[in-house]
Amino acid sequence: MSVTIKTAEEIEKMRVAGRLAAEVLEMITPHVQPGVTTEELDRLCYDYIVNEQEAIPAPLNYHGFPKSICTSVNHQVCHGIPSERRLKSGDIINIDITVIKDGYHGDTSMMFMVGKPSVIARRVCDIAHEALWIGLRMVAPGMRLGDIGHAIQTYVEAQHASVVREYCGHGIGLGFHEDPQVLHYGRPNTGLELKAGMTFTIEPMVNAGRAPVRVLPDEWTVVTKDHSLSAQWEHTVLVTETGHEILTLRKDERQALAQGAA
Ligand code: MF3
Ligand code: CO
Ligand code: CO
C-alpha cells in the first residue's frame, strides 16, 4: 500500500475521529486513580465510545486484541491488555485510544502518573512527552521522515534514555495502520518527503534503561527486556500547506498552545 493524500472530505472526517479520541482521554482522566483496575478503565472507555460517541473502539478484535483500549503500566512499553490489575500510587500508565468514526481512525495516547511518582518515573514521562512534541513541531511539507526520527532520537539519547526500535508511528485514515512507517530514530535527509494531505501518528516509546523489548506470552504486552520504566505519548497529525494540524489535541493542550507554552 502506498501513502495516501487525504481529500478535504476525508480530512474533515479525520478531524472528527481525532477529536473523539482526544475526548476519550479527557473523559478517563479523573478515573485514573490508585485502586482502579485497568479493566474498569477499559469498560468506561468502551461504554463512552460506543454509547455516547456512537463510534467504534478500533483495538477491539484488531488482529485478535481482546479489549477496547491499551493500558501499559510501568515497564510495559505498549499493547498492554486491560485486566484485573489494580493501579497503585507510584505506577505510571499509558492509555492508548483509537476510535473509528464514519470509517476514519483517530489514534492518541498519553501517560498518567498514579498518586505520587518517583523521580525517574516522572522523568521518563517528561522525556517521552518532549520527544513527541519535538517531532510534531517539525511536521510540514518538504520535511522528511528521517529528519523527524533523527531529531527525536538525538533528544532522547541526550537525556540518557533510549528509543524503542520495534514499534513506530504510522499512516492513518480508513486504515488503522497505513503507510508510511514513522520511525522514532533515523538519519537526516532520508525517508519519505511530507506532502500536504498526509495523516500519520507520531508515538515515541522511550525507555529509562536500554532499548530492547520483548513480547509477553499473552502475545500482546510489550515490555522492556531490562525491566526499566517506559513511557509513550501519541498524536495523530495532518500535514497542511503551511505546516501541520494536530487532530487529537486535548483541551489543556489547545490552551497551552494558545499561550505559546507547548
Ligand atoms: N493504538 C496502537 C497504536 O498506536 C495500536 C494498538 S493495536 C492493538 O498504533 F491491537 F494493540 F490494540
Ligand atoms: Co498509533
Ligand atoms: Co495508539
Side-chain angles (χ1 to χ4, degrees):
M1 201 182 73
S2 57
V3 178
T4 59
I5 301 294
K6 270 68 180 179
T7 65
E9 292 73 27
E10 288 183 291
I11 288 168
E12 201 41 51
K13 292 180 183 181
M14 291 291 293
R15 284 195 182 102
V16 173
R19 178 167 48 74
L20 294 180
E23 286 173 358
V24 179
L25 286 177
E26 292 173 343
M27 179 281 296
I28 204 65
T29 296
H31 298 280
V32 186
Q33 299 291 343
V36 75
T37 69
T38 51
E39 216 160 52
E40 287 163 357
L41 298 175
D42 177 76
R43 165 55 59 174
L44 286 164
C45 290
Y46 174 89
D47 287 344
Y48 187 75
I49 293 166
V50 170
N51 300 326
E52 311 254 340
Q53 299 186 328
E54 300 184 29
I56 299 166
L60 190 57
N61 301 321
Y62 179 77
H63 294 281
F65 191 79
K67 296 287 184 177
S68 296
I69 65 174
C70 296
T71 52
S72 305
V73 181
N74 295 342
H75 79 297
Q76 297 176 350
V77 174
C78 62
H79 304 167
I81 304 173
S83 71
E84 292 161 29
R85 178 185 189 147
R86 270 181 212 289
L87 297 181
K88 59 179 192 318
S89 179
D91 284 345
I92 57 172
I93 179 174
N94 173 277
I95 300 183
D96 193 336
I97 304 291
T98 313
V99 305
I100 310 171
K101 183 72 172 183
D102 215 355
Y104 288 82
H105 291 71
D107 188 7
T108 183
S109 82
M110 66 181 286
M111 297 302 298
F112 297 87
M113 297 185 295
V114 182
K116 193 173 153 50
S118 67
V119 170
I120 182 67
R122 182 184 296 276
R123 193 170 148 68
V124 71
C125 292
D126 287 350
I127 295 169
H129 184 262
E130 181 59 17
L132 167 62
W133 279 91
I134 284 171
L136 288 171
R137 287 183 210 112
M138 293 175 74
V139 174
M143 187 65 61
R144 298 181 70 173
L145 285 179
D147 299 323
I148 293 176
H150 178 75
I152 291 173
Q153 177 182 14
T154 301
Y155 168 74
V156 170
E157 292 177 355
Q159 310 306 309
H160 308 286
S162 43
V163 173
V164 171
R165 302 296 201 273
E166 287 83 349
Y167 302 88
C168 57
H170 49 91
I172 183 167
L174 280 173
F176 192 162
H177 295 109
E178 301 183 349
D179 283 343
Q181 293 197 44
V182 180
L183 304 182
H184 305 110
Y185 60 92
R187 282 175 295 123
N189 264 303
T190 65
L192 181 75
E193 184 182 317
L194 299 183
K195 296 204 169 19
M198 291 179 178
T199 50
F200 57 88
T201 72
I202 303 179
E203 49 181 299
M205 283 141 275
V206 172
N207 298 347
R210 295 175 54 81
V213 299
R214 67 187 180 90
V215 181
L216 293 185
D218 67 18
E219 293 182 6
W220 282 104
T221 311
V222 179
V223 298
T224 56
K225 267 194 183 162
D226 65 5
H227 280 72
S228 64
L229 292 174
S230 188
Q232 177 181 33
W233 300 72
E234 171 176 30
H235 272 309
T236 300
V237 62
L238 163 72
V239 185
T240 63
E241 298 291 341
T242 53
H244 62 266
E245 179 181 332
I246 301 166
L247 301 179
T248 45
L249 269 190
R250 298 179 299 281
K251 258 191 227 89
D252 59 307
E253 294 178 303
R254 205 176 295 284
Q255 281 163 3
L257 275 181
Q259 288 157 18

